[in-house]
Amino acid sequence: MIAPVAVFDLGKTNSKMFVFSPEGEILDEQREAPAWRNHEGFRVLDDARLESWMRAALSKAVTEYGVEGVMVSGHGCTFALVSGDRLTYPILDYEQEPPEDIAAEIDALIPSFSETYSPRLPMGFNFGRHILWLENVRPDVLEASQYILGYPQFWTWRFSGTAVSERSYLGCHSHLWAPLRNDFSSLVDQRGWREKMPPFARAGEVVGDTRIALPAGEARTLAVHNAVHDSNSSLYCYRAAGHDSFTLISSGTWVVIFNSECPFSLLDEERDMLANVSVDGAPVPTIRFMGGREFDTIREGASPRVSRESLQAVIDRRLFALPSFAPGGPSQETRGEITGAIGSDVERAALALLYVTLMSDYCLDLIGSRNTIIVDGGLVKTGAYAEVLAQLRPEQKVLSSDNPEGSAVGAAALAFEALGGKPRPVECSVTVPSELRGLVEYRAEWRDKVEERRQKARSRS
């Protein structure tokens, strides 16, 4: 009989642990925010603190639910350098920009978009850029490192001692992967990094085990499954549920939009469009923006749940939030701006929701979405996002996930399938469109303002 599995869903903003039954039911949930510290001029992860929480959470999960395995789904843009049983350098926060002189030097080494389908982005949004930065200032660290690991694979290694690579993470806008060749990019070979890339294992595969101390003083051995990239895990969740031709909106700190029906010719590196790579190595056209971060920035602590009345008030008063309030995205040339006077926190939250919905709608057009839309992640919990999106896109069916934790559900499915199990597929509900007056006209005005600002910014550059 297959026992429950613990899944860590490690996001940039929140870290969560879910206990899944073999049938796919969430039995328990724990949360912790990752902490960051300064080290030699870098901002780095406090990995010891996060690991301490993870082990304590596992101990509780084993004691209360009989968990016998651990699986990780992790956010993108992040790498770890290890040798033996230690990190050779702390894990860099991807939200930091190299000094201008170093950036010019390392950016000259980045392969073309036609090879990697990784757009040129700031900071460490392509984690190969941060490896180059660290190599530039501390070449001894790369030389001393046995392996370069993706962030989720770091936790696989930390718990099991086994170093492995995984395609969905390496293929996630890293500059390290050539998705159409299903191989490492020219950058990896030019820098001599291929020998530092460990063997591949499929996401979910059991690659080792770990010992977890229990409160009574004894210890339990758990199977360790190879980890996965979070948004690609969400994609797997809905493919495993039987969905075929669909557009997935996976939302958290980032809003990541996959459309497997999009031709690669539509991908524009200047609009933060790229090819992600599925857990089985297939390239998937993608567009993204930092929608969760922008939603929080605009609402400034106001409740994330909004009413129809507050949305209607924002539309009627022609209050607009214009991109971008965070780096990246399809309009990264312009800085975020709010036009008009916001009357209350309720209106501020409604404006934030309308912004993220309009940006999603904008991205859906850029990526040629004409098929069924599935909404997963934090935006499901707002209540109104899917309804407003459905009104904006009446020719498409919009489904809202009945379990918005798609990245964790997909990770659990991968782990159980490796053990011979098959949990129940996640279900979705058809979204009833909102009935907001003037929404389509509001969208047209918003888009005119976005394009006007974008063209002005491009003419100045």
Side-chain angles (χ1 to χ4, degrees):
M1 180 179 293
I2 299 175
V5 165
V7 174
F8 288 99
D9 188 9
L10 303 181
K12 184 60 164 52
T13 307
N14 291 297
S15 299
K16 297 172 280 188
M17 188 204 74
F18 299 95
V19 176
F20 282 89
S21 74
E23 294 75 34
E25 179 187 359
I26 294 178
L27 305 176
D28 195 12
E29 174 183 349
Q30 299 183 55
R31 292 175 180 258
E32 178 76 5
W36 306 86
R37 58 186 176 85
N38 293 320
H39 177 81
E40 296 184 351
F42 291 103
R43 190 167 56 255
V44 301
L45 177 70
D46 189 340
D47 62 285
R49 175 176 165 177
L50 187 55
E51 181 180 1
S52 178
W53 170 76
M54 293 169 76
R55 289 188 177 276
L58 277 176
S59 179
K60 179 176 183 290
V62 171
T63 301
E64 297 185 5
Y65 299 99
V67 160
E68 293 185 2
V70 58
M71 173 76 181
V72 172
S73 168
H75 67 77
C77 314
T78 305
F79 69 96
L81 302 175
V82 303
S83 188
D85 62 354
R86 65 184 181 90
L87 273 169
T88 52
Y89 203 82
I91 295 170
L92 303 190
D93 178 358
Y94 67 71
E95 292 187 81
Q96 49 192 328
E97 178 68 20
E100 189 174 338
D101 58 333
I102 295 176
E105 186 175 341
I106 64 179
D107 287 349
L109 302 172
I110 291 173
S112 68
F113 181 72
S114 62
E115 180 189 356
T116 66
Y117 283 92
S118 296
R120 289 176 178 256
L121 295 169
M123 299 189 281
F125 291 171
N126 305 111
F127 73 77
R129 189 171 188 254
H130 264 193
I131 299 176
L132 288 169
W133 180 15
L134 188 56
E135 184 183 52
N136 183 284
V137 298
R138 288 292 307 272
D140 58 305
V141 169
L142 264 293
E143 291 172 6
S145 299
Q146 182 180 8
Y147 294 119
I148 299 171
L149 301 177
Y151 181 58
Q153 279 62 56
F154 163 74
W155 290 109
T156 300
W157 168 84
R158 177 71 99 190
F159 279 104
S160 70
T162 304
V164 290
S165 297
E166 192 275 321
R167 282 177 171 78
S168 76
Y169 202 83
L170 280 170
C172 176
H173 51 83
S174 67
H175 287 320
L176 303 185
W177 194 251
L180 300 188
R181 294 204 317 265
N182 195 30
D183 194 9
F184 292 107
S185 73
S186 57
L187 177 65
V188 172
D189 289 324
Q190 288 168 6
R191 308 310 296 175
W193 297 343
R194 187 180 284 260
E195 64 185 23
K196 298 181 183 296
M197 300 297 179
F200 282 91
R202 188 175 189 267
E205 181 180 332
V206 175
V207 296
D209 55 51
T210 191
R211 295 280 285 173
I212 296 297
L214 302 183
E218 72 272 32
R220 189 73 54 82
T221 299
L222 306 185
V224 178
H225 299 258
N226 189 21
V228 65
H229 173 241
D230 55 5
S231 293
N232 278 289
S233 182
S234 296
L235 181 65
Y236 185 79
C237 166
Y238 296 99
R239 285 184 167 173
H243 297 281
D244 184 14
S245 174
F246 65 101
T247 298
L248 173 65
I249 301 177
S250 174
S251 62
T253 301
W254 290 88
V255 173
V256 183
I257 301 176
F258 300 86
N259 180 16
S260 58
E261 301 301 316
C262 174
F264 283 90
S265 59
L266 284 185
L267 298 183
D268 182 349
E269 62 178 315
E270 295 185 0
R271 310 306 294 269
D272 208 347
M273 302 178 77
L274 55 133
N276 262 296
V277 173
S278 74
V279 296
D280 293 309
V284 186
T286 305
I287 187 169
R288 62 185 199 148
F289 66 104
M290 215 171 187
R293 176 71 54 78
E294 294 185 287
F295 180 71
D296 290 341
T297 298
I298 296 168
R299 69 185 176 93
E300 293 184 354
S303 170
R305 297 194 70 86
V306 300
S307 66
R308 182 191 184 281
E309 290 75 20
S310 60
L311 292 166
Q312 192 65 64
V314 169
I315 294 169
D316 291 345
R317 294 178 55 207
R318 287 305 191 259
L319 301 179
F320 292 101
L322 303 169
S324 293
F325 295 86
S331 188
Q332 55 196 285
E333 304 91 344
T334 57
R335 293 182 180 273
E337 178 185 356
I338 293 174
T339 66
I342 299 172
S344 65
D345 279 353
V346 172
E347 284 189 0
R348 183 175 292 280
L351 179 65
L353 185 88
L354 283 169
Y355 171 82
V356 175
T357 310
L358 289 170
M359 281 291 288
S360 301
D361 174 65
Y362 186 50
C363 289
L364 289 165
D365 279 350
L366 288 171
I367 204 164
S369 175
R370 299 291 180 268
N371 46 17
T372 295
I373 297 168
I374 299 175
V375 181
D376 175 76
L379 287 174
V380 174
K381 302 172 187 177
T382 66
Y385 170 86
E387 288 101 351
V388 177
L389 189 66
Q391 184 179 348
L392 289 169
R393 308 190 73 83
E395 303 302 318
Q396 292 175 266
K397 181 187 294 184
V398 177
L399 303 179
S400 189
S401 176
D402 292 350
N403 185 342
E405 306 292 350
S407 59
V409 174
L414 287 162
F416 284 126
E417 287 169 14
L419 300 173
K422 190 170 180 60
R424 287 190 299 270
V426 68
E427 296 183 354
C428 297
S429 299
V430 177
T431 302
V432 177
S434 60
E435 297 180 353
L436 296 167
R437 296 186 312 274
L439 177 63
V440 173
E441 293 78 11
Y442 178 85
R443 171 179 60 182
E445 290 181 45
W446 181 86
R447 285 200 179 186
D448 286 344
K449 292 176 185 295
V450 169
E451 293 302 334
E452 180 182 358
R453 296 172 79 241
R454 184 169 179 266
Q455 292 306 318
K456 284 181 178 178
R458 289 171 64 83
S459 66
R460 290 194 298 265
S461 62

